[in-house]
Amino acid sequence: MASRRYRIGEDPDYVPIGRRLLMLNWTLVMLIAALAGIGFAMLYSAANGSFEPWAERQMMRFAVGAALMIVIAVTDIRVWLKLAYFSYFVALILLIGVEIKGDIGMGAQRWINLGFFQLQPSELMKISLVLALARYFHGLTVEETGRIPLLVPPLLMVLAPAALVLRQPDLGTALLLMAGGGVIFWLAGVRVWKFALILGAALAIIPIGWQFLRDYQKNRVLTFLNPENDPLGAGYHITQSKIALGSGGLFGKGYMLGSQSHLNFLPEKQTDFIFTMLGEEFGLVGGLALLLLYTMVIMYGYVIALRCRNQFGRLVAIGITSTFFLYVFINIAMVMGLIPVVGVPLPLVSYGGTVMMTILVSFGLLMSVSIHRDIRISRQGNDDGRQ
Amino acid sequence: MFTRRALMLGAGQGVLLTGLAARMYYLQVMESDRYRVLADENRISHRLLPPPRGLITDRFGAPVAVNRQNYHIMIVREQAQDVRRTLEILDQIIELGPDTIERVERDVARRRSFVPVTVRDNLTWEEVARVGVNAPDLPGLIIDAGRSRDYPEGPHLAHTLGYVAAVSEKELTGDPLLELPGFRIGKNGIEKIYDLALRGSAGTSQVEVNALGRVIRELDREEGDSGSTVVMTLDLELQRYANQRLSRKESASAVVMDIHNGEVLAMASHPTYDPNAFTNGISHKLWNSLVNNEYSPLSNKAITGTYAPGSTFKMCVALAGLEAGVVTANQRFFCPGHLDLGNARFHCWKRGGHGWVDMHDSMKHSCDVYYYEISQKIGIDRIAAMANKLGLGELTGIDLPNERSGLIPTKDWKEIQLGKRWQGGETLISSIGQGYVLATPLQLATMVARIASGKAVKPHLTRDHVTPEGITSRQNEEFPELQVNRANLARIRDGMNGVTNELRGTAHRSRIDIKGMEMAGKTGTSQVRRITMRERQTTGVLDNDELPWKYRDHALFVAFAPVDNPRYACAVVVDHGGSGSGIAAPIARDILLKAQELKSARPGISAANIASTAELLHPALRDRDEEEG
């Protein structure tokens, strides 16, 4: 079929903006708003019943982010396809920029100070990587996906930012990037044995690489693996977090009555450990309710992915949903002492501007996939996707 | 394939989320109780509330050791916007001085911002009022009231009461009370020996604290039990009088006790000190001046001073002789002024000698030769046995720390301790209370009390037995009989009567000339230096006035009164004071007279009287403090 350029008005897939707004996944928006609302309530409690300093700012960010989310959602998915590689390179350059000249915060280089805004390129990379990988695999047939040389570029696309983030050092984000990348490889149809091979290779490198590490680096890794070695640092956080959760019991101590949180035994209660605070004040019931909300959001993501008819959209949807899942899982598993402490916030609930933006932007993309699920897109990424 | 793999991925994520739910259930349901305890341990801190220390009163319930409100001023950094400025304003209201300001600033910087730092202790009420009035200009200042031990009688009872002071490292017993900052324990005297009973038991306060240790609120409070009130046997008025009477001497001590029940009515040791100085930590300068003082004001000489008893020991030797049957009261010995034994000559204090003397006269004139003679007949060991019976040479067991036992030598003692055989001459000099013989004033008073009562009286300082478990009465406590022939005791008392009440008795000038209050006593002048043969031959025995203070004789006097129906026993020792008759006897006379006058001037004490006074004491004191505060 001859390819032909459509002008916007002639696009057979063109949907008027009003109709796109109607097609928006309002249920998902409500779920997101509910999660954010829980976040506001917890931040209000964390400040001992005050909108200052957290709840108020978080609400403003959510308002801005939600508006951005809707704008992204109603924007044609093909725009995002075209921007995929570009945003990836921008994010990569910014990451390198952080490496060269970043502000040190919390013992790690993470930010670029833009004067009015603390830009965290690793967050940008989380979205860009999903977009770029989806774009890459969108251009490959199933047969091509089976060819090893063609897997090298996407592998590098994952490893380059992961390595940069690891240097900051931000292990949590590096893990999220690699796991998110892996999910897209998986869904693109890469064979199981190739995953096994990469995993095996990684395990083989560990003992060799270990010898090149300096002592302080080794110690850092050891503490990471066994926080009990560091009872006043990471170990303290986890111990206090488990005490808070456990003492919450079935129904919790009541809103704003968590002694562990309010007497400051629980550190960073407004960010990484906010789930602990919720668990202490609302008990198992509250924790499970939150988990259920997250599960519903994730299931919604799967539904969108499965209903999407273009490969790019499907991969983006699964990539975003899985990244979201990883945030939730890593954070909650961490505060419950199931996995070592890594700095991953609880999406939509934890206090933090950049993460809130990242999550809402990615949900915008997810909704865009949903709205434009029926658009067919060629492998070259042209909008005349009728093959 | 995409759908299949997506579903597998979704299933995997579902399993992981279920795992989270399971872990949540484990922590919040199965392990919940354990974590609840841990959370409370985090949050709840138990603080000790020190109980008020028990009061000490004299026998009539007059308070002699109390707890006074002690105001101190503290500053909290987070409430005082500008610590330096607040302190400077305060400095103009109550003088702090640059040193204090500097120290407080240093302490404030070191502590957490909500921890109060003490600026000054022991504020007067006037200062408290001035700070209170200016409170609006002094943000962050707190006036706090604590308790501190106060001895209203000051130096008058220092040696028997002792004092309290901060707990030293060695004294930590594991009782958490002792580890409280500012806690004081008894370090001497009654305060020390009854410390556990006086201390009481601590209360606790449960407070909620945050992770920084800051107190958020009090959850529960359980007051402890205040310490027991200890009622002493001392008569405050007699005690004051005895102190005053001794205060004209460089160094002296006196004891008055009731011969029937062993109650010590007065125990004075001069010079003395102010126990209040110890409560808040004594200064180095004051401490050194007390320790280095030639007249040792810190020691209670009534129980720690050991003196050669001199002629006051003669009652022992006479009684031993009578009991042994080697001498009768009417038997006479000739005193030519000396007695020769081997090559040695033992002198009587009277150069020309007393001529023929019987037991009564030997005591009345204090003839030495008479006792040389008896002691030669009975030997040192039987003298020692009688001395022990009368309470010498062993601890009296009085309820005070650091009592010393004195010394009554025997042949065995010398062989074991010095590895030498006992010499006959040593028996002679022992018989006039010289040589190795040593006794404390309290022992001498006890000896007299036993001679006067015929019972094995033991002295004590409290009206009741005081233990941490409780207080039991000493009332109706009977002392056993002495196992000495009563007629022989009467002969000894007769001799003592001669000393004071007969013309030419050694203490006749100090007699009490009031019917029914007469005293009987015995003088003693004990040598502290060796009088050489050369001294006797060249200059003659030097007079005390010609010698430096510490080589002068000790002046002793023991007595009981009234003669007819004895009630009070008394011992007075004036260190290096000179002669017993001239120096010690008048003091003993005055004290015994005072004791009897006081008795007739006041109704006797009853148990109810004491109980009601002690009971009233707490509120009464509180009222007084409130007036002041």
Side-chain angles (χ1 to χ4, degrees):
Chain A
M1 199 179 287
S3 81
R4 187 169 87 81
R5 281 183 183 280
Y6 292 93
R7 294 219 298 280
I8 293 282
E10 300 170 74
D11 186 348
D13 294 323
Y14 177 74
V15 183
I17 189 85
R19 190 162 152 62
R20 278 189 245 177
L21 277 172
L22 282 179
M23 285 173 74
L24 201 65
N25 312 77
W26 289 106
T27 316
L28 184 58
V29 174
M30 296 321 287
L31 283 173
I32 289 166
L35 283 166
I38 290 170
F40 305 150
M42 293 323 295
L43 290 176
Y44 181 77
S45 170
N48 292 316
S50 163
F51 284 105
E52 296 285 328
W54 300 310
E56 193 182 86
R57 291 172 71 184
Q58 184 85 341
M59 287 161 111
M60 279 162 58
R61 284 162 179 170
F62 179 75
V64 172
L68 187 62
M69 173 177 79
I70 288 168
V71 169
I72 291 169
V74 297
T75 305
D76 197 309
I77 185 83
R78 287 165 291 193
V79 174
W80 305 123
L81 178 88
K82 280 180 187 144
L83 285 172
Y85 286 143
F86 175 72
S87 76
Y88 177 84
F89 282 116
V90 170
L92 195 65
I93 285 163
L94 286 175
L95 268 181
I96 294 167
V98 170
E99 189 60 38
I100 295 166
K101 184 186 175 300
D103 283 354
I104 309 285
M106 309 285 282
Q109 282 185 317
R110 286 178 194 176
W111 292 285
I112 289 180
N113 196 343
L114 296 180
F116 63 97
F117 187 63
Q118 300 276 334
L119 184 70
Q120 210 171 323
S122 58
E123 290 298 323
L124 187 57
M125 181 51 91
K126 281 175 196 159
I127 304 171
S128 301
L129 182 63
V130 168
L131 286 176
L133 287 174
R135 169 79 182 87
Y136 183 82
F137 285 112
H138 176 79
L140 296 186
T141 60
V142 181
E143 296 75 49
E144 284 168 330
T145 310
R147 285 168 53 196
I148 290 173
L150 285 176
L151 289 180
V152 172
L155 213 51
L156 290 176
M157 281 160 75
V158 177
L159 290 180
L164 285 168
V165 170
L166 207 51
R167 272 187 62 96
Q168 287 181 357
D170 183 354
L171 195 65
T173 302
L175 281 174
L176 279 174
L177 289 174
M178 289 195 281
V183 164
I184 294 178
F185 275 67
W186 170 256
L187 287 163
V190 176
R191 292 277 168 200
V192 178
W193 65 266
K194 285 175 186 147
F195 282 93
L197 191 76
I198 300 239
L199 208 64
L203 287 174
I205 286 171
I206 287 172
I208 300 163
W210 182 254
Q211 293 170 13
F212 291 97
L213 292 178
R214 292 176 190 277
D215 278 347
Y216 76 90
Q217 288 170 319
K218 287 180 185 174
N219 282 336
R220 197 178 288 171
V221 175
L222 286 174
T223 303
F224 166 76
L225 292 174
N226 184 9
E228 313 294 317
N229 283 348
D230 186 14
L232 294 176
Y236 173 83
H237 293 197
I238 283 306
T239 308
Q240 295 301 337
S241 176
K242 279 155 75 178
I243 291 173
L245 278 170
S247 62
L250 197 55
F251 297 105
K253 296 176 185 166
Y255 185 50
M256 307 225 285
L257 295 176
S259 67
Q260 285 283 105
S261 333
H262 288 280
L263 299 174
N264 285 326
F265 290 101
L266 187 65
E268 300 186 38
K269 56 180 182 281
Q270 78 280 15
T271 57
D272 290 358
F273 286 87
I274 199 157
F275 181 79
T276 308
M277 192 180 160
L278 181 126
E280 185 183 21
E281 298 194 346
F282 295 102
L284 180 69
V285 174
L288 287 181
L290 187 73
L291 208 56
L292 189 67
L293 280 177
Y294 280 125
T295 308
M296 286 165 73
V297 170
I298 290 163
M299 285 169 71
Y300 215 110
Y302 275 96
V303 170
I304 289 172
L306 291 173
R307 282 167 65 184
C308 180
R309 297 223 242 153
N310 57 71
Q311 179 73 347
F312 176 71
R314 294 197 295 195
L315 290 177
V316 165
I318 289 287
I320 284 168
T321 306
S322 294
T323 305
F324 183 75
F325 162 81
L326 283 170
Y327 268 110
V328 173
F329 178 77
I330 292 177
N331 177 272
I332 297 181
M334 169 187 84
V335 302
M336 293 197 296
L338 283 173
I339 61 167
V341 175
V342 279
V344 172
L346 190 63
L348 297 169
V349 178
S350 283
Y351 178 77
T354 316
V355 179
M356 178 65 94
M357 287 298 163
T358 309
I359 296 293
L360 290 175
V361 165
S362 62
F363 277 116
L365 289 169
L366 183 67
M367 290 181 207
S368 179
V369 170
S370 177
I371 293 169
H372 305 97
R373 59 182 172 258
D374 293 328
I375 293 180
R376 291 169 182 272
I377 309 172
S378 76
R379 296 214 175 273
Q380 286 70 42
N382 296 329
D383 44 10
D384 54 350
R386 271 155 263 267
Q387 299 107 329
Chain B
M1 185 168 78
F2 175 84
T3 305
R4 203 183 72 221
R5 287 203 165 186
L7 288 176
M8 282 169 70
L9 189 67
Q13 291 178 359
V15 167
L16 287 176
L17 288 174
T18 312
L20 290 185
R23 172 73 172 174
M24 226 181 281
Y25 178 80
Y26 171 77
L27 286 178
Q28 298 193 291
V29 176
M30 293 170 70
E31 291 278 271
S32 180
D33 291 340
R34 185 164 78 88
Y35 286 120
R36 240 183 280 262
V37 172
L38 288 172
D40 279 347
E41 276 174 16
N42 266 345
R43 146 184 106 93
I44 297 170
S45 165
H46 295 259
R47 316 236 151 155
L48 281 180
L49 302 171
R53 194 169 175 83
L55 304 176
I56 305 177
T57 74
D58 89 333
R59 65 191 288 111
F60 299 109
V64 292
V66 296
N67 303 313
R68 199 167 41 88
Q69 291 270 312
N70 171 17
Y71 294 95
H72 45 272
I73 194 162
M74 301 187 294
I75 189 163
V76 181
R77 195 209 320 164
E78 66 174 11
Q79 285 163 23
Q81 289 91 26
D82 185 345
V83 172
R84 171 111 217 162
R85 214 183 115 65
T86 304
L87 289 176
E88 273 165 5
I89 297 171
L90 183 64
D91 189 31
Q92 290 171 5
I93 299 166
I94 56 166
E95 206 172 309
L96 298 175
D99 287 355
T100 308
I101 294 180
E102 204 175 288
R103 173 190 60 80
V104 172
E105 277 195 313
R106 217 176 325 118
D107 286 358
V108 161
R110 260 204 302 257
R111 311 271 174 81
R112 292 185 187 280
S113 64
F114 56 83
V115 176
V117 169
T118 301
V119 178
R120 238 194 63 191
D121 216 349
N122 294 323
L123 266 72
T124 65
W125 174 237
E126 198 207 330
E127 287 171 325
V128 171
R130 273 201 304 226
V131 173
V133 167
N134 289 288
D137 300 330
L138 298 164
L141 279 189
I142 300 172
I143 299 170
D144 194 34
R147 283 184 292 255
S148 73
R149 197 61 155 172
D150 184 46
Y151 303 99
E153 290 301 315
H156 280 304
L157 287 139
H159 292 111
T160 44
L161 280 180
Y163 52 87
V164 295
V167 186
S168 76
E169 197 91 359
K170 281 187 298 194
E171 286 161 332
L172 294 175
T173 55
D175 183 346
L177 254 185
L178 299 184
E179 278 152 52
L180 286 180
F183 195 77
R184 302 279 187 268
I185 60 167
K187 294 280 185 165
N188 211 337
I190 294 287
E191 291 275 30
K192 179 177 185 178
I193 207 145
Y194 296 124
D195 188 56
L196 283 179
L198 287 164
R199 206 185 282 172
S201 61
T204 51
S205 154
Q206 277 189 11
V207 290
E208 186 173 80
V209 295
N210 72 5
L212 301 173
R214 175 199 208 118
V215 175
I216 307 298
R217 64 198 164 116
E218 188 168 66
L219 302 171
D220 192 21
R221 189 184 183 90
E222 198 175 302
E223 295 291 348
D225 297 323
S226 62
S228 313
T229 298
V230 171
V231 180
M232 295 177 80
T233 58
L234 292 183
D235 178 338
L236 186 51
E237 228 172 298
L238 186 63
Q239 176 73 21
R240 282 187 194 140
Y241 181 78
N243 275 326
Q244 182 202 322
R245 196 63 188 79
L246 293 183
S247 65
R248 289 170 231 162
K249 307 296 169 195
E250 286 96 344
S251 175
S253 53
V255 177
V256 183
M257 60 189 275
D258 187 316
I259 65 164
H260 296 301
N261 52 22
E263 289 179 352
V264 175
L265 299 165
M267 180 184 276
S269 178
H270 180 78
T272 179
Y273 61 93
D274 186 353
N276 289 308
F278 287 84
T279 306
N280 291 309
I282 190 166
S283 74
H284 253 282
K285 202 177 142 202
L286 181 53
W287 174 254
N288 285 336
S289 76
L290 288 173
V291 168
N292 298 329
N293 189 319
E294 183 178 13
Y295 308 123
S296 39
L298 284 176
S299 71
N300 181 0
K301 296 182 193 90
I303 58 164
T304 63
T306 54
Y307 304 88
S311 302
T312 61
F313 191 62
K314 286 175 182 166
M315 275 100 75
C316 254
V317 180
L319 192 56
L322 288 173
E323 285 287 301
V326 299
V327 63
T328 65
N330 298 327
Q331 197 170 339
R332 295 171 166 224
F333 292 100
F334 185 76
C335 169
H338 58 82
L339 185 138
D340 292 324
L341 185 73
N343 321 334
R345 169 163 285 195
F346 293 85
H347 293 270
C348 185
W349 68 269
K350 189 170 177 182
R351 272 236 215 138
H354 291 92
W356 287 98
V357 285
D358 64 5
M359 184 171 283
H360 182 84
D361 290 338
S362 75
M363 285 174 74
K364 181 173 156 186
H365 301 304
S366 203
C367 171
D368 292 336
V369 172
Y370 181 88
Y371 293 90
Y372 297 152
E373 296 279 2
I374 303 179
S375 66
Q376 268 192 295
K377 289 182 194 293
I378 56 174
I380 186 65
D381 286 350
R382 276 193 280 187
I383 294 173
M386 180 53 70
N388 291 153
K389 209 170 217 178
L390 293 177
L392 304 181
E394 52 196 34
L395 297 175
T396 65
I398 191 158
D399 35 0
L400 283 178
N402 309 324
E403 189 195 359
R404 291 179 65 181
S405 65
L407 174 64
I408 299 299
T410 61
K411 288 179 182 170
D412 285 349
W413 168 83
K414 191 179 176 193
E415 290 217 354
I416 293 164
Q417 292 297 318
L418 306 177
K420 288 179 188 155
R421 274 181 61 87
W422 184 263
Q423 305 287 313
E426 289 172 331
T427 307
L428 265 52
I429 57 171
S430 295
S431 72
I432 58 162
Q434 297 281 167
Y436 300 115
V437 184
L438 291 172
T440 65
L442 180 65
Q443 284 174 329
L444 293 176
T446 306
M447 175 185 78
V448 173
R450 288 183 180 195
I451 290 169
S453 70
K455 289 181 184 150
V457 187
K458 278 177 170 290
H460 53 87
L461 265 171
T462 45
R463 297 275 296 163
D464 305 291
H465 289 289
V466 186
T467 61
E469 287 74 40
I471 293 179
T472 54
S473 177
R474 279 191 211 266
Q475 226 85 81
N476 307 323
E477 238 178 30
E478 274 291 315
F479 294 108
E481 288 291 321
L482 256 191
Q483 310 292 339
V484 173
N485 189 323
R486 292 215 155 240
N488 288 340
L489 282 172
R491 287 190 185 100
I492 302 297
R493 290 198 290 267
D494 178 54
M496 291 171 75
N497 187 33
V499 172
T500 48
N501 295 322
E502 286 173 24
L503 220 56
R504 294 176 57 224
T506 51
H508 182 67
R509 273 176 302 157
S510 301
R511 72 191 177 281
I512 296 176
D513 217 357
I514 297 170
K515 189 109 185 77
M517 290 193 183
E518 295 93 340
M519 74 170 180
K522 181 74 196 79
T523 55
T525 306
S526 83
Q527 227 169 268
V528 286
R529 68 197 176 98
R530 201 182 168 81
I531 300 174
T532 57
M533 193 68 88
R534 193 186 148 84
E535 183 182 324
R536 281 182 197 281
Q537 285 163 354
T538 54
T539 56
V541 178
L542 287 168
D543 261 3
N544 276 312
D545 297 345
E546 302 170 73
L547 294 163
W549 181 75
K550 63 178 184 169
Y551 293 122
R552 296 178 195 171
D553 298 337
H554 291 312
L556 298 93
F557 192 75
V558 298
F560 64 85
V563 170
D564 288 333
N565 189 12
R567 173 73 192 269
Y568 303 102
C570 174
V572 172
V573 177
V574 180
D575 300 9
H576 310 291
S579 85
S581 59
I583 304 298
I587 298 175
R589 177 205 115 99
D590 291 350
I591 293 175
L592 276 175
L593 182 58
K594 184 77 177 177
Q596 295 180 89
E597 283 171 356
L598 285 171
K599 186 190 176 257
S600 53
R602 272 195 303 220
I605 36 159
S606 67
N609 184 6
I610 291 282
S612 64
T613 330
E615 216 168 84
L616 284 171
L617 224 49
H618 272 288
L621 281 171
R622 212 175 301 137
D623 287 345
R624 198 181 73 177
D625 283 331
E626 271 164 15
E627 274 168 36
E628 286 168 10

